[in-house]
Amino acid sequence: MKGNEAGRRRPWRIVDPYVAALLGTVAFAAVLPAGGRAGEGVALASDIAIGVLFLLYGARLSTQEAVGGLRQWKLHLVVLSATFVLFPLLGLAARLCVPQLLTEQLYTGVLFLCVVPSTVQSSIALTSTARGDVPAAICAGTYSNLLGMAATPLLAAWLIGSQAAFTAEGLLRITLQLLVPFVIGQLLHPKLGGFLSRHRRRLTLLDRGSILLVVYTAFSAGMEQHVWQRVTPLRLLAVVLVAGLLLGTALAATAFAGRRLGFGRGARVAIVFCGANKSLASGLPMAAVLFGTEAGPVILPLMLFHQLQLLLCAVIANRWPDEAGEIREDGQGGEAGKIGGIGVVAVAPSGAARADGEITPSPAPLPRGGPAAAPETV
């Protein structure tokens, strides 16, 4: 009880600090884009940073623990279906918004958002806050990111077409920048895994600094090509609207599927947060590799979606009802104000957004079992 009361007193940041840093990087690129030789140097540094990111992802992941989590294969199948089947279908349906709401480039970004894998760290924190099955969330997020290394480029090439670099040269680039560093990291895990785990917070700065560099490079290229002249404030508002519709539909669909398939409460919590969230940390580097100099407008919907999922899911996690249909913080029950059994009454959450981009969970301890939470830092 004291933990919940303390949580209510915490201020709820309207804008996640890391997203604010991303938006600041976009503004900096608009004022001072890297062009010419400087642009080539920044692009090279961005490519190296992407390789380092995926090497660290691989080095953090314990293969043995990841394989051990396959016991809940039905839950993971539901999450993967939401991430790589439901979301792409919703992305195709968003085509109806072109050209009235979205430009072709912004729609490409929405479609790319829909093929990005799920989060790891945010899903774990949200699942813990809602008193859900945390080991299942760890496994589901990890498997989504592992599958996403192949599924995201393949789906992007299939659904987006020629704009995604899936030529022989593009495939080689994806392999060299994403897959090879990840495999090397896996080979180094026995030696580096413990060190990386002990210094996770410090390495988070490296991860996020690398992603900020990727964003700066992408938006600088967009400024050099004058693509932002076609992105008006009304278009940005339309992207927020479409992203909100995607998130709301995914939350409702995963909640319904969890109940319909007979999962227990803890598993349903993990299904909702792992199935309806998207990874900014994995998506941005992938977009830079797939779209090159055209990545600027493509990553914008993903950045806005990330902010929306932090805000809405923080509220849902703190208002998730128990098995009796009662909302655990203030005792108000009933079905009103819920999405598929999830309470959505807007109150200050007891899990506040932290400066490192995660949601601070309520005092439910994280179990020691399950795979290590690797490829996600946002």
Side-chain angles (χ1 to χ4, degrees):
M1 186 67 181
K2 291 182 179 180
N4 285 338
E5 292 175 353
R8 289 195 189 98
R9 291 194 294 268
R10 295 174 185 167
W12 183 23
R13 295 186 178 97
I14 300 302
V15 178
D16 172 53
Y18 186 63
V19 174
L22 289 169
L23 296 177
T25 302
V26 172
F28 183 71
V31 176
L32 193 63
R37 289 184 176 274
E40 294 175 0
V42 170
L44 177 60
S46 177
D47 289 344
I48 295 173
I50 291 171
V52 172
L53 274 175
F54 278 82
L55 186 146
L56 291 176
Y57 292 166
R60 290 185 184 120
L61 177 63
S62 170
T63 307
Q64 182 179 0
E65 291 176 340
V67 171
L70 289 174
R71 290 187 297 271
Q72 292 180 284
W73 62 270
K74 290 183 180 179
L75 181 149
H76 304 315
L77 184 60
V78 174
V79 171
L80 293 175
S81 297
T83 302
F84 297 116
V85 178
L86 173 63
F87 262 105
L89 291 175
L90 294 175
L92 291 174
R95 179 74 193 182
L96 297 173
C97 299
V98 181
Q100 288 80 9
L101 294 178
L102 302 175
T103 65
E104 287 288 346
Q105 281 186 316
L106 289 175
Y107 172 67
T108 297
V110 170
L111 206 50
F112 176 73
L113 151 69
C114 290
V115 301
V116 167
S118 177
T119 65
V120 179
Q121 295 284 28
S122 295
S123 296
I124 295 169
L126 290 164
T127 301
S128 176
T129 299
R131 307 296 198 268
D133 189 338
V134 175
I138 296 173
C139 294
T142 300
Y143 298 150
S144 179
N145 276 262
L146 290 175
L147 181 59
M149 294 188 65
T152 296
L154 287 171
L155 287 171
W158 181 30
L159 300 178
I160 299 173
S162 59
Q163 296 183 59
F166 208 74
T167 60
E169 181 181 353
L171 181 60
L172 178 62
R173 187 182 179 199
I174 291 169
T175 302
L176 291 177
Q177 281 196 262
L178 305 183
L179 187 58
V180 170
F182 182 83
V183 172
I184 293 174
Q186 274 285 276
L187 295 175
L188 294 175
H189 172 75
K191 294 184 178 180
L192 295 182
F195 173 83
L196 296 177
S197 179
R198 290 191 300 272
H199 297 84
R200 180 179 294 275
R201 290 189 177 275
R202 294 180 181 178
L203 289 170
T204 295
L205 297 177
L206 175 62
D207 288 350
R208 293 182 174 175
S210 299
I211 294 173
L212 291 176
L213 179 59
V214 171
V215 171
Y216 176 71
T217 303
F219 279 83
S220 290
M223 291 300 298
E224 290 292 304
Q225 298 174 14
H226 307 288
V227 300
W228 299 112
Q229 295 177 0
R230 300 189 293 273
V231 183
T232 64
L234 287 178
R235 295 290 190 186
L236 291 177
L237 183 61
V239 173
V240 173
L241 175 63
V242 172
L245 289 173
L246 289 173
L247 179 59
T249 303
L251 287 168
T254 50
F256 174 79
R259 284 189 176 276
R260 186 72 175 177
L261 295 174
F263 287 97
R265 181 190 179 281
R268 294 200 307 270
V269 172
I271 287 172
V272 167
F273 290 130
C274 294
N277 281 263
K278 291 292 184 175
S279 171
L280 190 70
S282 295
L284 293 185
M286 288 182 179
V289 174
L290 289 169
F291 298 97
T293 57
E294 300 291 328
V298 174
I299 65 179
L300 190 58
L302 178 59
M303 291 170 58
L304 295 174
F305 184 91
H306 175 77
Q307 178 63 25
L308 287 176
Q309 76 184 21
L310 284 181
L311 292 172
L312 182 56
C313 291
V315 174
I316 291 174
N318 283 277
R319 300 291 296 175
W320 195 294
D322 61 19
E323 290 290 0
E326 297 178 350
I327 299 172
R328 59 179 172 78
E329 282 197 351
D330 56 10
Q332 296 176 3
E335 294 300 321
K338 297 178 186 176
I339 299 177
I342 306 174
V344 293
V345 181
V347 295
S350 62
R354 277 188 1 205
D356 59 3
E358 300 176 13
I359 304 296
T360 304
S362 298
L366 295 178
R368 296 183 180 178
E376 170 74 16
T377 58
V378 178

